[in-house]
């Protein structure tokens, strides 16, 4: 009698567990597809932004492009991590990948901040005037549209996965959207109004977002989780 009394609740619990595991597997597969999109997008964005920045002598565009390289590293890492889980690899291995990537991203962000500060000050001191870049404006404008959508979809996936690394990746994607908006404003003002100094103003606005992202990345590398609930 005791067995029959507990069989229905046990069966309900088992069905709930199966349902949660199924949802997680589907979310992981969805996350893999999102990271593939991230990697392809960031590869194109980095190449176009850095190329346009070098041609136009624009620190703003090259800094935006180098940040895209960091986002690319993050995307590749998350793709590896989620693909490993999708193939049934151990959680320990996935966590090891996350820790190494966090340190790499933190170091790259620190170097990028130093680059922006020193080159930005040098550009202002020497009055280096960047040329207007229609390509740069187009790349930044596309990122302003795409990045919020990508971040929203990643957040949906992470509601079932609960990955700290994916949570950090979401924060980086949102930061990329803010940086793209600052880049678009600076490049557009230079292109349309000839206000070359607007690019340097935008550089230091962009530095605010970069510094915040860097502090979070260094904190995560040291074991302090500064992100909350996927935001």
């Amino acid at each position: 009698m005791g067995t029959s009394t507990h069989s229905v609740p046990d069966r309900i619990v088992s069905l709930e567990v199966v349902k949660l595991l199924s949802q997680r597997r589907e979310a992981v597969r969805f996350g893999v597809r999102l990271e593939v999109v991230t990697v392809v997008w960031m590869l194109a964005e980095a190449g176009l932004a850095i190329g346009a920045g070098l041609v136009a002598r624009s620190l703003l565009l090259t800094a935006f492009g180098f940040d895209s390289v960091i986002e690319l590293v993050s995307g590749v890492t998350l793709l590896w991590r989620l693909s490993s889980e999708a193939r049934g690899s151990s959680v320990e291995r996935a966590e090891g990948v996350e820790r190494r990537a966090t340190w790499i991203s933190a170091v790259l962000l620190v170097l990028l901040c130093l680059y922006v500060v020193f080159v930005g000050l040098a550009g202002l001191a020497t009055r280096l005037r960047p040329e207007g870049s229609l390509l740069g404006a187009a790349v930044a404008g596309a990122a302003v549209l795409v990045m919020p959508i990508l971040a929203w979809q990643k957040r949906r996936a992470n509601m079932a996965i609960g990955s700290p690394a994916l949570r950090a990746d979401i924060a980086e994607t949102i930061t990329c959207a803010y940086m793209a908006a600052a880049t678009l404003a600076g490049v557009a003002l230079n292109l349309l109004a000839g206000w070359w100094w607007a690019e340097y103003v935008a550089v230091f606005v962009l530095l605010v977002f970069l510094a915040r992202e860097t502090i979070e990345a260094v904190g995560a590398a040291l074991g302090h989780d500064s992100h909350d609930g996927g935001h």
Side-chain angles (χ1 to χ4, degrees), residues 126-208:
T126 60
R127 297 178 64 85
L128 177 64
R129 300 192 177 203
E131 298 175 4
S133 174
L134 186 59
L135 175 59
V139 172
V144 168
L145 296 175
V146 172
M147 289 300 104
I149 297 173
L150 193 56
W152 172 56
Q153 294 294 335
K154 288 180 182 181
R155 185 174 292 159
R156 281 184 56 206
N158 206 37
M159 288 176 66
I161 300 171
S163 166
L166 183 52
R167 196 157 64 237
D169 186 60
I170 293 167
E172 290 180 10
T173 302
I174 293 171
T175 301
C176 183
Y178 285 120
M179 293 178 66
T183 301
L184 178 61
V187 172
L189 286 172
N190 186 20
L191 185 66
L192 299 176
W195 295 353
W196 62 271
W197 48 264
E199 289 209 20
Y200 289 101
V201 173
V203 162
F204 291 107
V205 172
L206 179 149
L207 183 61
V208 173

Side-chain angles (χ1 to χ4, degrees), residues 75-138:
V76 169
T77 303
L78 264 296
L79 181 58
W80 182 14
R81 181 252 184 272
L82 294 175
S83 297
S84 296
E85 181 173 343
R87 292 193 302 267
S89 297
S90 66
V91 176
E92 290 77 11
R93 181 181 178 187
E95 290 177 348
V97 172
E98 290 183 10
R99 285 193 297 270
R100 288 193 295 273
T102 301
W103 273 110
I104 292 171
S105 295
V107 171
L108 289 174
L109 280 167
V110 169
L111 293 176
L112 180 58
C113 284
L114 293 175
Y115 170 81
V116 170
V117 169
F118 288 117
V119 178
L121 292 176
L124 281 174
T126 60
R127 297 178 64 85
L128 177 64
R129 300 192 177 203
E131 298 175 4
S133 174
L134 186 59
L135 175 59

Side-chain angles (χ1 to χ4, degrees), residues 61-73:
L61 281 172
T62 53
F64 179 63
F66 282 126
D67 182 73
S68 299
V69 172
I70 295 170
E71 302 277 355
L72 175 62
V73 172

Side-chain angles (χ1 to χ4, degrees), residues 29-45:
R29 287 194 290 267
F30 184 45
V32 168
R33 294 194 293 270
L34 290 173
E35 293 304 332
V36 168
V37 172
T38 299
V39 168
V40 173
W41 180 275
M42 290 303 170
L43 188 61
E45 183 178 278

